[in-house]
Amino acid sequence: STVPELLVLAELFDAENPFPIEDVEPDIFETMLKYVYGKDIGAFYWKDHAKQVLDAAVKYGFTELKSFAEAWHVKKLQKNFTKDNVVDELLYADGKSCPLLKKSAMDFIVKHGCEVIESESYGKLDESPELRCQAKNASMNSRVSQDI
C-alpha cells in the first residue's frame, strides 16, 4: 500500500459525520481496503473483478491499485479480445489512462487489423479521432513491416 492511498482513505472517513459510499459496490470497496492495508487478494477474485476495482481506483486516485488492477484486467483480456470488444477496451483504456491496456488492445488491432477495421465496433472510434488515427497507423505500419 502507499501513503497517498491511506491519506485518501483517512480523508473519506470521519467518525463524527459518516457518509454512505454509494458509487462503489461494497465488495469492491472492501477489496480496496484490503489492498491498501496489505491484505492478500486471491487471483480468483481478480479474474472476475479487476475492471470494477480499476474503475474504483481511478475514481479515488489509488494509482498503485489502478496499475495492479489494470495488469489483471489485461491478463484476463489477452485471451479474450475479439474484433467486437477490442475497440471498447481501447476507448476505455484511453479514457482511464491505462497504458498497459491500451498497448494490449493496439497489439490485438495490429495483429487482426482487417477483422477489426471491418467490424461494426470499429465505428466507435469516431468518438476519438486521435485514437482512430493511432489504431490505423499501427495497423498500417504492421502491414508495411510485413511486406518488407
Side-chain angles (χ1 to χ4, degrees), residues 115-132:
E115 294 173 46
V116 175
I117 290 171
E118 293 170 0
S119 72
E120 286 183 35
S121 65
Y122 190 74
K124 293 178 184 177
L125 281 177
D126 290 343
E127 297 172 24
S128 175
E130 182 180 336
L131 201 54
R132 183 183 192 108

Side-chain angles (χ1 to χ4, degrees), residues 24-97:
V24 176
E25 292 295 320
D27 65 318
I28 301 300
F29 195 77
E30 182 180 348
T31 301
M32 292 171 64
L33 290 173
K34 283 180 179 179
Y35 183 84
V36 168
Y37 287 103
K39 303 287 183 183
D40 184 45
I41 303 166
F44 64 93
Y45 184 85
W46 287 110
K47 290 177 184 175
D48 294 332
H49 298 94
K51 193 167 186 178
Q52 293 96 324
V53 174
L54 176 57
D55 286 334
V58 168
K59 182 173 194 127
Y60 287 101
F62 287 30
T63 55
E64 189 177 298
L65 178 58
K66 173 188 170 250
S67 296
F68 195 74
E70 178 186 3
W72 271 102
H73 185 57
V74 168
K75 184 176 182 177
K76 175 184 175 181
L77 276 176
Q78 284 181 329
K79 296 177 183 170
N80 296 305
F81 271 129
T82 68
K83 65 182 172 75
D84 298 317
N85 73 3
V86 70
V87 171
D88 288 330
E89 292 297 334
L90 182 60
L91 289 166
Y92 176 84
D94 194 54
K96 302 283 184 182
S97 299

Side-chain angles (χ1 to χ4, degrees), residues 94-111:
D94 194 54
K96 302 283 184 182
S97 299
C98 296
L100 185 62
L101 179 56
K102 185 176 179 180
K103 181 186 180 326
S104 188
M106 283 290 197
D107 288 348
F108 182 88
I109 290 171
V110 165
K111 189 173 181 182

Side-chain angles (χ1 to χ4, degrees), residues 126-144:
D126 290 343
E127 297 172 24
S128 175
E130 182 180 336
L131 201 54
R132 183 183 192 108
C133 185
Q134 290 173 12
K136 197 173 212 171
N137 285 342
S139 183
M140 292 173 98
N141 288 340
S142 170
R143 283 190 220 135
V144 168

